[in-house]
């Protein structure tokens, strides 16, 4: 019997892609990482640099630059290739170029015989996930956008600050819809130690006047605040992408807010959008359909209509 080595390919070895590779070797997620980029020298440079870090990691990972033909037996491919938004652009403004780049990537990958999971990071990630689902012909459970996974981490950080430092992992909170300005938070489902957050703030003098809309706006905008300071973001999103892969490889069945295809859930069809999902060995094993209030459902659908408007600009 030959042991199956777990392999992850990263397409786009820029700031996000190389951070994903670093996060993979840190967390002992796979045995091999294939680094692929249109700029082959960049992919080589990143692969060498990360290889030199492996010596001081707890586990051996082989990291090398590769080509699409080598993707046949890869278990998961993270796509981070793209053109990050320039100052003044939104993520949605990068759709045309990202869609073209993804086509040039997915076609040769599928020709290689690849049959694993795609984890999409390139923005606008919800629409790119849909595009890759269409281009690849793979089942919807195998195509996962990072969606609002990183926004949810940002939301929890903001709530933790409001709650005098309670660990983010002890807060049940997530945002949904577009990974972008129109995302929403289903406040009726946010809780701490099982206690609904809305009830908590009612009972607490310090929290009673908390402005929930402000928190949602801050959650959506904090990425831009980082962008203004360092030109981009990469550690948070890389950790989120690797969190999704770990949940698949270890069949954790962790609930993560990702961009997944809806087929009737929340009364929505044929759209990739941010929703809490059970992520296990089959990828998206279940879209969790929480019972939203009327107002929450309106906000969620409004966010989806923003995505649909942009989907139509590339023929969907
Ligand atoms: P970057 O410019 O540092 O890296 C992009 C890489 O893609 C470059 O190395 C480039 O050579 C490569 N590339 C471009 N066209 C390619 C092609 N046709 N084939 C293969 N490789 C190609 O950018 P970055 O900061 O790493 O961001 C990458 C993408 O990730 C952007 O779309 C950005 O908006 C997105 N992003 C998403 C999130 C999220 O939460 N989903 C967060 C941060 C960044």
């Amino acid at each position: 019997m030959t042991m199956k080595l777990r392999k992850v390919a990263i397409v786009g070895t820029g700031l996000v892609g190389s951070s994903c590779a670093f996060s993979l070797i840190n967390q002992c997620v796979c045995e091999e990482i294939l680094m692929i980029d249109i700029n082959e020298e960049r992919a080589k440079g990143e692969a060498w640099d990360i290889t030199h870090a492996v010596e001081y990691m707890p586990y051996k990972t082989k990291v090398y630059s590769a080509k699409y033909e080598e993707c046949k037996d890869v278990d998961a491919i993270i796509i981070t290739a793209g053109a990050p938004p320039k100052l003044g652009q939104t993520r949605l403004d990068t759709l045309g170029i990202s869609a073209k780049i993804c086509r040039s990537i997915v076609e040769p990958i599928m020709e290689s015989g690849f049959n694993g999971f795609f984890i999409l990071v390139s923005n606008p990630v919800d629409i790119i996930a849909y595009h890759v689902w269409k281009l690849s012909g793979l089942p919807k459970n195998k195509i996962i956008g990072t969606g609002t996974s990183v926004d949810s981490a940002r939301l929890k950080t903001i709530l933790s600050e409001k709650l005098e430092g309670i660990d983010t992992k002890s807060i049940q909170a997530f945002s949904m819809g577009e990974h972008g300005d129109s995302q929403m938070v289903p406040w009726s489902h946010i809780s701490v130690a099982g206690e609904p957050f809305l009830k908590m703030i009612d009972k607490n003098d310090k929290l009673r006047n908390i402005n929930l809309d402000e928190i949602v706006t801050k959650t959506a905008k904090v990425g831009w605040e980082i962008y203004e300071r360092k030109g981009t973001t990469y550690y948070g999103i890389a950790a989120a992408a690797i969190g999704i892969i770990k949940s698949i490889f270890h069949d954790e069945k962790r609930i993560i807010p990702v961009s997944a295809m809806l087929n009737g859930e929340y009364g929505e069809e044929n759209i990739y959008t941010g929703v809490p999902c059970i992520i296990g060995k089959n990828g998206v094993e279940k879209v969790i359909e929480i019972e939203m209030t009327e107002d929450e459902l309106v906000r969620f659908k409004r966010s989806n209509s923003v995505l649909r408007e942009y989907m139509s600009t590339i023929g969907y």
Side-chain angles (χ1 to χ4, degrees), residues 11-17 37-39 42 68 80-85 98 101 104-105 121-123 125 146 150 179 232-233 237:
V11 183
T13 59
L15 291 165
V16 177
D37 200 289
I38 195 165
N39 178 346
R42 166 109 205 207
Y68 294 120
T80 75
S98 273
I101 290 176
S104 75
I105 291 168
V121 176
S122 306
N123 275 318
V125 68
T146 47
V150 73
H179 164 61
T232 182
T233 69
I237 184 58

Side-chain angles (χ1 to χ4, degrees), residues 199-229:
K199 218 177 193 178
M200 268 179 95
I201 58 178
D202 235 16
K203 288 196 311 201
N204 184 322
D205 287 343
K206 278 198 204 144
L207 294 175
R208 193 164 300 127
N209 295 324
I210 202 166
N211 185 329
L212 298 180
D213 286 339
E214 246 173 51
I215 294 178
V216 181
T217 307
K218 171 98 179 154
T219 300
K221 299 275 185 214
V222 70
W224 293 112
E225 288 178 23
I226 300 169
Y227 184 91
E228 278 162 18
R229 286 164 175 83

Side-chain angles (χ1 to χ4, degrees), residues 10-14 16-17 20 36-37 68 77-85 90-92 94-103 105-106 118-132 144-147 179 233 237-238 241 259 272 307:
I10 298 172
V11 183
T13 59
V16 177
C20 286
I36 304 175
D37 200 289
Y68 294 120
I77 297 181
I78 310 173
I79 299 187
T80 75
T90 70
R91 297 176 182 95
L92 290 168
T94 61
L95 174 57
I97 175 87
S98 273
K100 267 197 206 129
I101 290 176
C102 277
R103 182 178 289 277
I105 291 168
V106 174
F118 272 114
I119 312 300
L120 289 319
V121 176
S122 306
N123 275 318
V125 68
D126 305 284
I127 307 174
I128 291 301
Y130 183 92
H131 189 48
V132 170
I144 309 172
T146 47
H179 164 61
T233 69
I237 184 58
S259 193
Y272 264 80
L307 290 174

Side-chain angles (χ1 to χ4, degrees), residues 222-291:
V222 70
W224 293 112
E225 288 178 23
I226 300 169
Y227 184 91
E228 278 162 18
R229 286 164 175 83
K230 57 179 264 184
T232 182
T233 69
Y234 35 91
Y235 297 124
I237 184 58
I242 301 327
I244 295 168
I245 293 188
K246 277 195 322 190
S247 200
I248 297 172
F249 285 6
H250 304 308
D251 194 27
E252 288 175 5
K253 304 207 188 297
R254 180 170 172 187
I255 297 173
I256 306 178
V258 295
S259 193
M261 169 66 96
L262 297 189
N263 279 130
E265 298 90 349
Y266 301 97
E268 295 277 7
E269 290 278 351
N270 201 31
I271 188 168
Y272 264 80
T273 188
V275 279
C277 292
I278 299 175
I279 308 291
K281 65 178 185 303
N282 301 307
V284 172
E285 302 202 338
K286 190 175 169 41
V287 171
I288 310 263
E289 199 173 358
I290 58 166
E291 204 178 315

Side-chain angles (χ1 to χ4, degrees), residues 55-74:
E55 162 71 8
Y56 298 98
M57 295 292 153
Y59 180 83
K60 184 169 167 68
T61 312
K62 188 174 164 190
V63 189
Y64 53 99
S65 60
K67 295 191 185 303
Y68 294 120
E69 302 90 90
E70 294 165 71
C71 287
K72 183 178 165 52
D73 63 345
V74 163

